[in-house]
Amino acid sequence: MKVDLRILQDETVQRFNKETDTAVLEASKEDPGLLKYQSDHCKLMVECQNIIDMYIDKGHNVDNVDCLQICGLDLVILNLSLSAPGLYVANETKLLRANKKSWTRGTWVAYRDSKSKLPHSPHNLTI
């Protein structure tokens, strides 16, 4: 499956790079709809299951993997754990919501290069 972002562990084995997945992330626009939300959710769970199985096949003692699902300003942290042989349990550990009122248009800082002037210091600056 193709996910939006993979977090990898990179190591060199006999002059070759060996990349191992450690976590995955899916992102979508705000309010993606139920079908997109659930399909991304299922895709993350399948990828987490593959990661757990890969570590077990290599002989590592890994029984749970975290993954992230981003929908607009909402961040969902999911955890898939191996409870018994062949039994995977998914938990939604956190749901973080950004306050939309704090994200207003025009609050970003413009790019500055070496020729641009410094912005004025605020009059109420305390050190």
Side-chain angles (χ1 to χ4, degrees), residues 91-103:
N91 292 318
E92 186 174 295
T93 53
K94 290 197 179 188
L95 174 63
L96 304 171
R97 290 212 160 129
N99 185 0
K100 291 182 185 179
K101 292 181 181 178
S102 66
W103 294 84

Side-chain angles (χ1 to χ4, degrees), residues 12-24:
T12 304
V13 177
Q14 295 181 354
R15 300 180 313 167
F16 295 104
N17 284 344
K18 184 178 179 185
E19 297 175 342
T20 307
D21 291 341
T22 57
V24 288

